[in-house]
Amino acid sequence: MEKIFARLSQVSASLVFVVLVSTLVTLYISAKPAIEEFGAKFLIDARWGVDVPIEPPSSDHKPAQQASQSSVSNAHLDNGTNAGDEDDGINVGDDDDGINVGGDGVVSNAPHKEVFGGAVAIVGTVFSTIIALLFAVPLAMGIAIFLSEIAAPAISKPVGIAIELLAAIPSIIYGMWGLFYFGPFIASIFGGHSVSLLVAGLVLGVMVIPFMAALSRDAINTTPDVLKEAAYAVGATKFEVIKDVVFPYAKAGIIGSIIISLGRALGETMAVAFVIGGVFEFAKSVTDPTNSIPVVLANNFSESSGLSLASLFYLSLILFVVSFIVIFTAKHYFLRRGK
Amino acid sequence: MKDIANIMEIQDFSFTYPKAENPSLKNINLPIKENHITALIGPSGCGKSTLLRAMNRIHDLYPGCHYEGAIKLKNQDGSIGNILDIKKENDFIALRQRVGMIFQKPTPFPMTIYENIAYGLRIAGIKNKNDLEEIIVKSLQDAALWNEVKDRLHQDARGLSGGQQQRLCITRVVALKPDLMLFDEPTSALDPISTLAIEEMILGLKEKYSIAIVTHNMQQASRISDYTAFMYLGDLVEFNDTDVMFTNPKEQQTNNYITGKFG
């Protein structure tokens, strides 16, 4: 019995690693064509699905160029077959197919390849997350402190329940709310578009606030009363007690709540898809539309194959790694105790 | 009883917790003698901690407490003020710096050993780095803690042992030079050796400070205190010299308690 129990829990625990590693491996395998094709340049290339003529082999590396050429034409063929329904956003207007067909006589003999780059989506993801956190962290901390330290139980109970209800709202509802009401509202204040990086960041922020606030409140509530009393007993004011005793004591839990929210914001798809605009252009200002990794994935999977599909997998692999690194470093950097 | 000045005088004091029907303390009259140790003993729930916590009004952190009577505290200029009249936050801060408190469990703040002591000092208005350093080193030496912590002053105080943490908490209060120090069962979470160290520390403090200590442990009361108050069910049953109290108490109830017939 003891052994079975130990074994069972062992199996459950090892499942974590199996899932983690297998996800990583499948992502990598699916992304491999795109990784081989674009390499690290994918990270800084802002083009997505843009057709470019292949220049005569002069640049970087020659043998690779040759190899890729054949794979490119394959991918190209694939693309051609379902070209009809390949249609997304801005860069589609002057899509490869148009050029291919139209410019038959002269240009078509020159080899073409489709280029994919993740820079816009990566930058969009990072910045929308940063905006979300800048907006959410102070508010969530305010809520958490109010609920745990300042409000009387008669107030903190109903507000606490309201926060938990907010956390339960499905993200698509936030998306619709953002698209139809919040976005235009923000645009009327800050100008620019009603779908934009700013709106996406703020909607994300609104979404993660309940999590952050509820978890931080729980962390703050773990501060022993006697510790606070001891601080009051050396003459500290309420603000000083919160700043110097409660916060440092609950630091691990508070940072944990921020990290969880960060992970959620990085990967959030539906709400952001509604309000970020989904165009492959860098936002010149925060009120411009742009794109984020999960949104690119969600919007393009059904219409992708071959190299473009591999590029999507490449992008998801990047998201995976970025989330992992962010959370891992955040945890290690912030949760170290003392100095 | 010898005639010794009182640092604090509790007069007809009654206390009711928030939302409670009946008072937890009823008409308490108790002097706290200057530069002596007064122990409060009694079975659990008798109100001794409640009384102690009224002496620096730490109760007021939780709204709805009800006081009656007076708790008079002698000011440094010799005048006498009733601490139950305090209403403003600044006056509470001043009161709590003058009447320090040490709790049942060690309560190191989540900061370094140095900062733990500096914290209250800074609140008290001592900001100069050299002054701080001097007071902190001196306090730690007085507390016989210096040798144990001098190499790790800037490490987290929570890394100390339980006994060291508690001595740090006492040092932290002593550094503020309070008029009265309140100990709320300061050794109940500690092993016998740490307890001994704390008791020695408290005994050493009475030269300069007035002390009130709540304890479960009657041997502790008899070892370190000069006066003892026995409380039972919210009443002060007897207040006497510790020697008299433990050999020849006036009240039958006191006798029953200290001889172990109940409690």
Side-chain angles (χ1 to χ4, degrees):
Chain A
M1 197 61 204
E2 290 288 320
K3 269 200 174 151
I4 296 173
F5 182 69
R7 196 46 58 84
L8 268 177
S9 65
Q10 213 170 31
V11 168
S12 332
S14 51
L15 204 64
V16 174
F17 279 97
V18 172
V19 171
L20 188 72
V21 171
S22 61
T23 309
L24 195 62
V25 168
T26 40
L27 279 183
Y28 178 75
I29 291 173
S30 309
K32 215 170 168 219
I35 295 174
E36 282 169 352
E37 175 69 24
F38 305 117
K41 245 185 103 185
F42 189 78
L43 299 175
I44 50 166
D45 197 334
R47 295 170 295 181
W48 184 270
V50 177
D51 216 30
V52 293
I54 293 175
E55 295 132 27
S58 62
S59 56
D60 330 72
H61 32 63
K62 286 175 187 173
Q65 192 85 9
Q66 298 296 30
S68 69
Q69 201 157 334
S70 62
S71 81
V72 166
S73 60
N74 274 342
H76 209 75
L77 224 65
D78 282 349
N79 253 350
T81 51
N82 48 15
D85 45 38
E86 171 134 28
D87 203 275
D88 67 82
I90 280 185
N91 27 19
V92 179
D94 40 24
D95 200 51
D96 51 322
D97 305 308
I99 298 170
N100 254 349
V101 179
D104 218 8
V106 201
V107 204
S108 71
N109 277 354
H112 282 231
K113 69 170 181 176
E114 214 175 3
V115 174
F116 294 92
V120 171
I122 294 168
V123 170
T125 299
V126 169
F127 276 90
S128 60
T129 305
I130 289 174
I131 292 173
L133 288 187
L134 286 179
F135 173 61
V137 169
L139 270 175
M141 291 308 119
I143 295 170
I145 289 168
F146 177 77
L147 289 181
S148 55
E149 295 293 319
I150 295 170
I155 298 170
S156 70
K157 269 232 178 83
V159 176
I161 292 171
I163 295 271
E164 271 147 32
L165 284 178
L166 272 184
I169 295 179
S171 59
I172 189 154
I173 293 176
Y174 280 107
M176 294 177 68
W177 168 74
L179 179 63
F180 289 109
Y181 297 100
F182 191 61
F185 172 69
I186 292 296
S188 72
I189 295 176
F190 295 100
H193 303 262
S194 65
V195 288
S196 65
L197 185 60
L198 179 67
V199 175
L202 293 180
V203 168
L204 270 181
V206 171
M207 283 185 61
V208 299
I209 280 174
F211 283 91
M212 221 188 263
L215 291 171
S216 299
R217 175 201 56 190
D218 294 345
I220 288 172
N221 276 342
T222 61
T223 314
D225 280 345
V226 69
L227 190 62
K228 288 184 259 174
E229 286 172 8
Y232 284 115
V234 295
T237 61
K238 188 158 214 156
F239 173 69
E240 286 166 334
V241 170
I242 291 170
K243 171 170 71 78
D244 300 320
V245 174
V246 172
F247 250 89
Y249 187 88
K251 193 171 85 177
I254 290 171
I255 289 168
S257 82
I258 295 175
I259 291 173
I260 287 175
S261 307
L262 180 64
R264 201 181 139 91
L266 278 175
E268 176 53 42
T269 311
M270 238 24 251
V272 182
F274 270 69
V275 295
I276 202 166
V279 299
F280 283 99
E281 270 176 17
F282 287 115
K284 290 188 186 61
S285 82
V286 286
T287 53
D288 284 344
T290 177
N291 222 333
S292 85
I293 298 178
V295 174
V296 172
L297 299 181
N299 282 347
N300 295 297
F301 252 117
S302 59
E303 299 143 7
S304 298
S305 57
L307 191 60
S308 63
L309 188 61
S311 301
L312 290 180
F313 272 110
Y314 194 0
L315 213 46
S316 56
L317 183 66
I318 291 169
L319 181 62
F320 185 99
V321 172
V322 167
S323 310
F324 192 80
I325 289 173
V326 164
I327 289 172
F328 195 77
T329 50
K331 237 178 160 158
H332 267 253
Y333 182 73
F334 289 114
L335 297 188
R336 265 181 323 174
R337 226 191 195 199
K339 285 169 204 168
Chain B
M1 239 185 275
K2 289 165 285 176
D3 193 31
I4 295 161
N6 298 331
I7 180 79
M8 183 180 269
E9 227 168 297
I10 299 166
Q11 296 169 343
D12 291 324
F13 178 69
S14 297
F15 177 84
T16 313
Y17 273 110
K19 290 183 190 150
E21 298 245 323
N22 300 311
S24 303
L25 297 172
K26 288 163 274 183
N27 292 316
I28 306 282
N29 284 286
L30 176 72
I32 307 291
K33 303 284 185 188
E34 228 168 338
N35 290 26
H36 284 74
I37 300 175
T38 305
L40 302 175
I41 62 169
S44 296
C46 69
K48 53 193 191 303
S49 283
T50 305
L51 180 60
L52 193 81
R53 288 164 62 87
M55 294 182 196
N56 68 349
R57 293 196 61 183
I58 202 96
H59 283 302
D60 287 66
L61 299 179
Y62 312 96
C65 296
H66 183 72
Y67 301 92
E68 269 169 48
I71 297 181
K72 292 191 170 156
L73 179 66
K74 193 164 106 179
N75 294 322
Q76 261 138 354
D77 59 11
S79 65
I80 287 171
N82 182 358
I83 68 167
L84 297 187
D85 292 339
I86 291 175
K87 298 226 162 48
K88 283 184 288 188
E89 186 169 18
N90 279 345
D91 296 335
F92 275 116
I93 291 171
L95 170 69
R96 289 179 189 140
Q97 295 212 312
R98 287 185 51 207
V99 183
M101 190 161 207
I102 289 94
F103 298 83
Q104 229 176 79
K105 284 193 190 135
T107 52
F109 299 144
M111 42 185 100
T112 65
I113 294 168
Y114 182 93
E115 284 298 321
N116 257 278
I117 304 175
Y119 189 65
L121 293 170
R122 287 210 190 93
I123 290 173
I126 301 166
K127 300 248 161 76
N128 183 300
K129 226 177 156 226
N130 295 331
D131 294 350
L132 276 177
E133 181 104 26
E134 196 179 320
I135 297 175
I136 289 167
V137 172
K138 175 91 169 47
S139 318
L140 283 169
Q141 283 166 343
D142 288 350
L145 203 56
W146 176 246
N147 285 331
E148 291 163 66
V149 303
K150 66 180 175 203
D151 299 324
R152 49 203 282 206
L153 277 181
H154 297 285
Q155 287 172 21
D156 196 312
R158 290 171 292 181
L160 295 170
S161 76
Q164 288 171 328
Q165 287 183 8
Q166 190 66 307
R167 279 189 284 153
L168 177 66
C169 292
I170 298 173
T171 309
R172 191 168 75 188
V173 173
V174 172
L176 294 171
K177 301 200 184 308
D179 299 330
L180 173 61
M181 292 177 74
L182 309 173
F183 290 81
D184 190 357
E185 298 186 36
T187 61
S188 64
L190 302 177
D191 61 273
I193 293 173
S194 304
T195 299
L196 194 68
I198 303 267
E199 285 182 9
E200 279 173 2
M201 193 170 170
I202 294 173
L203 275 174
L205 286 171
K206 78 169 179 179
E207 283 179 26
K208 289 188 196 157
Y209 301 97
S210 315
I211 290 164
I213 176 169
V214 164
T215 175
H216 264 309
N217 180 333
M218 276 179 287
Q219 285 76 32
Q220 183 169 66
S222 69
R223 277 197 298 265
I224 65 174
S225 72
D226 304 299
Y227 301 96
T228 301
F230 171 61
M231 296 179 68
Y232 186 60
L233 297 178
D235 290 310
L236 182 73
V237 177
E238 184 170 351
F239 173 71
N240 220 326
D241 281 351
T242 298
D243 298 340
V244 180
M245 191 81 151
F246 282 93
T247 51
N248 187 20
K250 279 187 296 201
E251 305 286 334
Q252 186 58 35
Q253 234 171 0
T254 315
N255 194 37
N256 288 348
Y257 181 69
I258 58 178
T259 53
K261 287 199 177 121
F262 78 102

